[in-house]
Amino acid sequence: MGIFGEKLKEVSQSVLPIVILIFLLHFFLAPLSFDILLRCVVGTALIILGLTVFHVGVEIGVSPIGMHLGHAVTKYGKMIMVVMSGLVLGFAISMAEPDLRIYGQQVELFTSGYMTEMMLVYAVSAGIAVTLAFGLWRIVRSLALKHVFFLFYALIGLLCLLVPREFIALSFDASGTTTGAMTVPFFLALAAGVSSFKSSDSVAAEEDSFGLVGIASAGAILGVLLMAVVTAQQPLGASVTVPDQAALEPFWESLAHLAPHMFWEVFLSILPVTLLFYLAHFFIENVRGAEFFRINAGVVYTYLGLVIFMTGVNFGFNRAGYELGMEIARLEGSAVLVLVGLVIGLVVILAEPAVFPLVNQIEDITSGYVPRKLVLIALSLAVGSAVAFSMLRIVLPGLELWHMLLPGYLIAIALSYFVPNLFVGMAFDSGGVASGPMAATFVLSFASGAARHFPGADVFLDGFGVVALIAMMPIVALQLLGMVFQWKQKRGNEA
């Protein structure tokens, strides 16, 4: 079986459980219209095809580009080059991340234009640019990740005290959506390239291969919070009227409008990485022969795969998530909503396009010491819990997002001082990976629909924030996994 066959099998096994779940909910709890079910079927076919092509493209194109750019960044050994490269790469790539654009459009819709898409995109991109530059500097200087995350999240905690509570959900959700299908594989490869080039210590290089995605995630939070502080943003609830979902366009019209939009959005996503690769290729580190053509083919595959995938997600799953959330919220019994949220979280993580590049890299970097199946199980349980907790916020009056985020991140930071350094980077990277396009569309739409129609809930205060919890829970879960492995290793050494 060739690489396409392997990826097709892997993707099909990941995506089909979500579709089965949607149809089970349709038949037994929340009946959907025929049009929405048809969109789910077509969207599923597009998602499976798109993810298959995308994963092939990442393997032969995006990951090698990140490795080569990582080498190019450190080739001359000048720290100013490392910092400037981080600023340029961070801003350019996050500006064009499709997931962030989609989230920005949803924020603009739900705030009636009070918070525009580009306001959010610029704030996030600026935050990521600064923290990515710091992250590359950290790798070169071998600064411990636990100290970096302690510093960043202490600053985030202070800023949260200065902004309206709506911006806490906005900033943490933006953090999750900006580390999406394009940025995660690139950041992972970039970190691996820089760490392998600068370090002769294989253990240190392994540890430094992770953490850059988590640092970028913190940068997105800081960017939005600082924007809210500097511009003296007022509470959104007093300024906006949340609209209801617009009527669906006819089937073919909707697809015809969406596909060209995705071609342009994904083109913007691919362009900065491609241009930077060509600049590095011609002026810093020449890539010769078959590898150069293979990378170019990988870029094309990545582009086409993302276009098909994003079209499928937005066409087939966005409205289905909203309608399911709305119908289940109308049922009597809040426990049903929480239970359905748990099940959705358990399966939706498997369809995130950036999950498999992360778990594959974890298995490769650790030479099988941390098996991918175990990481997938931990991520699935973490995201299931996160969505269930989000549903609890909807059904329990007075339960706010910070009541979960504050203890969650305090636990995450505390654990980082007790687990192996390698697991700290893995854990914080996994938070960004778990909150990808499926979370930014299907799960966020499900939470918005539920909050819109559950008595006493607020769609902005209770619906938003689900991506934030999805980004937080894997950090705790993988560090707990690290403690288990550390304990097993100690017992093995004692024996």
Side-chain angles (χ1 to χ4, degrees), residues 12 74 104 109 113 146 156 215 217 228 250 257 276 374 424 461 466 480:
S12 299
T74 55
L109 171 69
K146 55 192 175 185
I156 288 169
I215 288 174
S217 298
H257 288 166
L276 289 168
L374 191 58
V424 176
L461 292 177
V466 60
L480 290 174

Side-chain angles (χ1 to χ4, degrees), residues 315-394:
F315 179 73
F317 283 87
N318 214 342
R319 187 56 178 261
Y322 183 85
E323 296 287 340
L324 283 173
M326 179 180 67
E327 293 297 329
I328 294 172
R330 287 172 172 167
L331 299 173
E332 290 189 12
S334 56
V336 176
L337 184 60
V338 176
L339 181 61
V340 171
L342 172 66
V343 177
I344 287 175
L346 288 173
V347 299
V348 78
I349 182 63
L350 301 177
E352 290 290 3
V355 164
F356 287 97
L358 175 69
V359 297
N360 289 339
Q361 183 164 335
I362 289 175
E363 189 172 63
D364 291 342
I365 290 289
T366 61
S367 301
Y369 176 71
V370 185
R372 51 177 287 169
K373 285 186 178 179
L374 191 58
V375 177
L376 283 172
I377 292 171
L379 289 176
S380 183
L381 291 173
V383 175
S385 302
V387 182
F389 286 146
S390 293
M391 297 306 104
L392 275 176
R393 290 174 50 225
I394 293 173

